[in-house]
Amino acid sequence: MTAGGLVARRQVLRRLREYVMVVLLIALPVAGASGAAVLVASAMPTTRQEITSTLGQTAARVHWTGYETRQSVRGLNQWSGDEVTYRPPADVVPGVERMLTLRTLWTRVGTSPAGVVIGPVTDPAFEGRYVLERGRAAERGDEVLVTPALARDDGLETGSTTTVHRVPGADGPRDLEVTVVGIMSEVGGGTDDRQVFARDDLAAGLPDPSSTTSASSTSSEQYLVGDAVDWDEVRELGRAGFVVWSAAVVADPPPEGTPGLESEAGYGSTGTYAALGVVFAVFAGAEVALLAGAAFGVGARRQRRTLAVLAAVGADQRTLTRIVTRQGVWVGVVAAVTGLAVGVDLGIGVVALARRAGVDVGPFAFWGVHVPGVVVAGIGLFAVAVSWIAAVVPARRAARVDVMDSLRGGTASGAVDAASDRGRGRRSAVLAGVLVVGGVLACFGAGWVSYATSVPVGSRWWWAAFVGLAVSAVAALVGVLLLVPALVRRLGRASTLAPVPLRLALRDASHGAARTAPAVAAVTTAVFVAVFGVSMSTAAARQSEDSFYRPYPAGTVAISYDQASDLRVPGGSPEAASLDSAAVAAVARGLPVSDRAVWQTPVPSGYDSNGAPVAVDAVTPWAVLTVPDRCDSSTGRLEGLSSREAQRITDADPACDYPLGSFTSQDNIIVTDEDGLAVTLGAAPSTAARAAFESGGVIAFDPSLVVDGEATIGLATPADVVDGFDASATPSTSVSLPAVVQRPTTLSTGAVLMSPGTAERLGFELTQRAVVMVTDRQPTEDEAAGLRAAVTTATDGRATVETSPVDRGLDLALVLALLATTLVCAAAAAVALGLARAEGLSDQVTMQAVGGTDAQRRAMSFWQGVVVVGTGAVLGTILGLVPTGAMVWASDLPFAPPWWVLAVVAVGLPLVVAAGSALTSRRPASLVRRPVLD
């Protein structure tokens, strides 16, 4: 090790207490990133695990489409060509020894919805995909195995009996009583996977694998046992009409550009998550570099005498620079090792405990303990690099030490004349302006490339745009930080009329701009990253909320009836009243019911309980018509416009701002009586709405549904239904009814409310749809499972329970995000203020020497905190909204920052940190001992 390296290590070891905060600052994100990497890697199967859990020991899985097919490696992306005739896979490719067929029926088992897998799941060829946990294989048609989740929910065990409902048979669907003979799990199925495994002779009416017209409640797949299926054979099977999942191809995929290979880019969210990870890595790296840079700057200034002594005995500027930068490397190594040790160990512990307990952790279902060595090593090297970068600028400044002045105890870092200082200031201002303007423009440009163009997700340009967005935002941040010294000086000059403590704090910040600017920069960076993260989270949450289909009013519990034709309950019939009473009583035993509304639908069902189509013999009201061509992006005034232009027009049109305003909707007529209006609307109906409802009109949910005081309902005859009809076309017949607009408060389904009398007058055939109940609270998960079972039993399987959680004004996740943001920003502010206070210790000694009181000192400390943290928080909040705006603008997400959170960060955080600074301010010692070497 060189002499410079030895001095650097000695300085780090001697000043370890001073560097503890820097080590923690770097180690904490390293621990978080490495722990998250272990969790994510453990939640993703290895290639071998993926193959085994999908195929077991078989060579490939094929699914018949009926059309010539090109596909991606896993079949996620498909292209269909000409129609082809079915041929067994064994006749298409050689080496197939036998074929195993699995058919899946989605139905109700006992009181729970479940998938019934029918086929030889206990065949040795499926070893690795299915695991028999206890019991034995089924030997007769009335014996089944169930997954642990279904056994838990329905209280099943080996020897128990249950009912599989609506099993297809030669004489139609029937309910079968079966005996549970074992508990079997599907590898990778998750802890809530509800399945039943049965022999082929359970159901005789399931479609053949060669059928392309199977009912919506069934699916069929074939597994090939024999030789490996390579890419050429996958192509042959594709030309014969099959989509293939091959073990050999997944294990050794063909390169991009291979003839017949479709790309899987853009399928799945891995690329997006990785890109967001890159963005946050750049932001976090910038944050740590600036915070650590401030600390290294203070440390370097406190080592002036040591550096001056080294310079006096012959060390040149290059050697002095290396000494300080190598301190950064040593600090980075200590922080990286500490962070990786903590993060990886915590990640492994969480995975091990979760697997032992058999539970998932949030969105993670773990396949095993997977430590991504390359990623973890990259995180550690990134931390060391960031620490080194953070020390470069302080090192270059410290290397310009004025030897004689420093040995005498002065504070100058080098002689700089006033003219060169003014020139440097002008150059910094110009550079800052270029960085801010260029960074903002480039940020929005990169966002546009990554989201609003046809650049494929995962391509080079897509990645370049994402990285460019992050780098551009950081460039704008750096530009603003270059302006901080000038801003601080201006604040100092403008403090004439301020109270004395504030004036002292502003002038201290102005005169000590060299120590104040890094502190402001540190807070700005921390707030910038936090605001970006919180704002993007709320934008995504708002988008999800806006697009969420809510079939019932928020806060209600609904008894939802199955609409299959063979399970139909005639609306308003004695049977409906009896079932309603039994179901409501079952719910009321667990939840107090304060009000309820009975919903009926005038749309007859066109399918049976197995998903097979059935003839419709009644008039179908299939659409409530909106203003013609007003909000439809494919026709009328919007035809030919880009999606962005059409979006701008519809956003500005009040008639299109409701979800139903942009399209016509089938089954959007809710039939209820007068007592159900308040529950459905979420508020008492207006006088005009009630009058229209009672006089044979309708209550419309949106202004776009009403033209000249009427709502028009399109009608489809039974012949139209047989021929098929498009809900966006103009119907051949229609009926117009008087309409009054009243928006429901939380409902996102339906278009109009109609009374049963009006529906019967129009000749509609009513079917019981739901009983919507107002309760004092939403049930817990366990209570909801119990209610579903009770209602299913009470209605003989014709209805189940659905809940509609209330949108809370105070989101718990947002509160937690605020707490995390506050802690991170407060920690950064504490580090920054602590460094500034340590640097300004001599000024505090002077203030004490001239008679300053403790109250004045604390008041000055308070306002120092307000100035430093307040300036940084405001700048960081504004800057954090720049990349957020770029992303939401480019991706058509709503710009919905949590303004109250930003207000707390920009206003509340500075006050809290300033109060803490004042309370922790201590009287400085009046005598300072100066050793020769620090």
Side-chain angles (χ1 to χ4, degrees), residues 329-733:
V329 173
W330 279 108
V331 169
V333 169
V334 173
V337 171
T338 303
L340 291 178
V342 173
V344 172
D345 286 347
L346 283 177
I348 292 173
V350 169
V351 174
L353 289 174
R355 285 177 57 81
R356 181 173 298 178
V359 297
D360 299 339
V361 177
F364 298 113
F366 299 115
W367 290 78
V369 177
H370 301 162
V371 179
V374 174
V375 175
V376 169
I379 292 171
L381 292 176
F382 181 73
V384 175
V386 167
S387 182
W388 174 78
I389 292 171
V392 168
V393 174
R396 292 173 63 88
R397 289 179 177 173
R400 296 195 297 267
V401 63
D402 186 316
V403 176
M404 297 306 298
D405 183 73
S406 297
L407 290 176
R408 286 194 300 265
T411 59
S413 30
V416 180
D417 58 53
S420 64
D421 188 51
R422 286 194 297 270
R424 185 181 297 112
R426 285 193 294 268
R427 289 194 297 272
S428 295
V430 172
L431 177 60
V434 171
L435 287 174
V436 171
V437 175
V440 171
L441 294 177
C443 190
F444 277 86
W448 180 79
V449 170
S450 61
Y451 279 111
T453 65
S454 57
V455 173
V457 175
S459 66
R460 292 180 181 177
W461 281 109
W462 185 81
W463 274 104
F466 249 114
V467 175
L469 187 149
V471 173
S472 301
V474 171
L477 171 66
V478 172
V480 170
L481 298 184
L482 288 175
L483 295 174
V484 167
L487 175 63
V488 169
R489 292 189 183 98
R490 285 186 178 276
L491 289 174
R493 287 195 294 268
S495 62
T496 306
L497 301 178
V500 173
L502 176 57
R503 186 162 68 247
L504 288 174
L506 287 170
R507 290 185 176 180
D508 176 74
S510 176
H511 295 158
R515 65 172 180 266
T516 304
V520 173
V523 177
T524 300
T525 310
V527 174
F528 163 78
V529 176
V531 167
F532 171 76
V534 173
S535 298
M536 283 302 300
S537 298
T538 54
R542 176 66 63 83
Q543 174 78 353
S544 176
E545 179 183 331
D546 290 345
S547 60
F548 179 71
Y549 174 77
R550 190 183 299 282
Y552 303 105
T556 62
V557 176
I559 298 166
S560 179
Y561 283 91
D562 196 319
Q563 297 297 296
S565 60
D566 53 334
L567 297 176
R568 173 179 177 268
V569 178
S573 64
E575 180 186 15
S578 174
L579 292 174
D580 287 352
S581 298
V584 170
V587 172
R589 283 192 289 270
L591 289 174
V593 177
S594 59
D595 200 358
R596 62 175 177 172
V598 176
W599 285 8
Q600 301 171 37
T601 176
V603 179
S605 175
Y607 58 91
D608 65 15
S609 55
N610 284 120
V614 298
V616 173
D617 57 2
V619 172
T620 300
W622 57 269
V624 176
L625 305 182
T626 62
V627 177
D629 299 338
R630 184 166 181 174
C631 308
D632 189 342
S633 60
S634 62
T635 60
R637 61 174 181 163
L638 305 180
E639 186 175 5
L641 299 181
S642 69
S643 61
R644 186 174 296 281
E645 291 172 320
Q647 184 71 37
R648 275 199 295 269
I649 293 173
T650 55
D651 285 348
D653 188 342
C656 301
D657 65 354
Y658 188 74
L660 280 171
S662 58
F663 56 87
T664 54
S665 175
Q666 185 179 3
D667 195 13
N668 52 22
I669 300 173
I670 299 174
V671 178
T672 189
D673 56 22
E674 186 177 350
D675 294 335
L677 291 180
V679 174
T680 305
L681 294 171
S686 66
T687 303
R690 183 182 293 275
F693 182 82
E694 293 175 348
S695 61
V698 296
I699 300 175
F701 291 171
D702 187 74
S704 67
L705 304 173
V706 180
V707 179
D708 297 330
E710 293 185 329
T712 302
I713 300 173
L715 304 176
T717 65
D720 293 331
V721 175
V722 172
D723 294 338
F725 54 87
D726 182 0
S728 64
T730 302
S732 56
T733 59

Side-chain angles (χ1 to χ4, degrees), residues 119-137:
V121 293
T122 55
D123 190 288
F126 285 120
E127 181 183 352
R129 174 171 181 175
Y130 299 107
V131 177
L132 182 62
E133 298 187 2
R134 55 186 183 273
R136 60 174 176 82

Side-chain angles (χ1 to χ4, degrees), residues 75-154:
L76 298 177
N77 187 14
Q78 303 171 19
W79 173 89
S80 297
D82 297 334
E83 190 172 354
V84 294
T85 304
Y86 178 81
R87 288 190 295 158
D91 295 345
V92 179
V93 294
V96 178
E97 299 173 3
R98 59 193 179 107
M99 292 187 296
L100 304 175
T101 300
L102 296 183
R103 300 175 178 88
T104 302
L105 166 69
W106 285 275
T107 184
R108 182 166 56 87
V109 178
T111 60
S112 301
V116 181
V117 179
I118 299 173
V121 293
T122 55
D123 190 288
F126 285 120
E127 181 183 352
R129 174 171 181 175
Y130 299 107
V131 177
L132 182 62
E133 298 187 2
R134 55 186 183 273
R136 60 174 176 82
E139 298 174 352
R140 302 195 311 269
D142 61 350
E143 294 180 341
V144 299
L145 300 97
V146 299
T147 57
L150 185 60
R152 176 197 64 213
D153 291 348
D154 274 25

Side-chain angles (χ1 to χ4, degrees), residues 910-930:
L911 295 177
V912 171
V913 175
S917 175
L919 292 174
T920 57
S921 176
R922 294 177 298 177
R923 178 181 299 180
S926 58
L927 180 64
V928 180
R929 178 175 60 89
R930 283 201 179 97

Side-chain angles (χ1 to χ4, degrees), residues 11 55 78 187 262 349 396 498 525 627 889:
Q11 290 294 94
L55 301 177
Q78 303 171 19
V187 175
E262 298 292 314
R396 292 173 63 88
T525 310
V627 177
W889 169 78

